[in-house]
Amino acid sequence: LNFVEIHGRHSGKNLAHTDMETVRYYGLQKKIIAVTSDNAANNGTMMCELQTLMTEEGVYGFQASDARLRCLAHTIHLSAMKVCAL
């Protein structure tokens, strides 16, 4: 949806606030079904924080545990790297 410079650390909380700015800008609070990300730990934190921010916006159906989609291409790449290392 948007390419923005992230100021500060790439912590999950900072990523969520950056994402929420884009969601607010486009008025998508009640239209987001899922977020695709890689397997980095900060993305789990981002999703939990995004759920909190969505709740503050009055969106109660957004659940971090259900809304995170791990990138299939990234998962396949990680699996291939493991196989090639054997």
Side-chain angles (χ1 to χ4, degrees):
L1 292 176
N2 199 4
F3 290 98
V4 297
E5 181 178 354
I6 297 173
H7 301 284
R9 296 181 53 221
H10 286 198
S11 67
K13 191 169 186 174
N14 197 19
L15 291 171
H17 284 269
T18 302
D19 288 347
M20 198 64 196
E21 287 177 22
T22 298
V23 169
R24 282 186 195 114
Y25 179 81
Y26 289 106
L28 300 173
Q29 293 89 326
K30 295 184 178 180
K31 297 179 181 180
I32 300 292
I33 296 170
V35 176
T36 303
S37 65
D38 64 17
N39 296 326
N42 62 341
N43 287 322
T45 305
M46 174 191 69
M47 292 303 293
C48 291
E49 182 68 15
L50 197 53
Q51 178 179 325
T52 300
L53 294 171
M54 292 290 242
T55 300
E56 290 173 1
E57 295 276 328
V59 180
Y60 300 102
F62 186 87
Q63 297 296 316
S65 58
D66 298 333
R68 182 177 179 191
L69 293 177
R70 296 174 193 271
C71 178
L72 180 59
H74 185 254
T75 302
I76 290 170
H77 177 256
L78 291 175
S79 299
M81 295 302 290
K82 288 275 188 186
V83 169
C84 290
L86 299 177

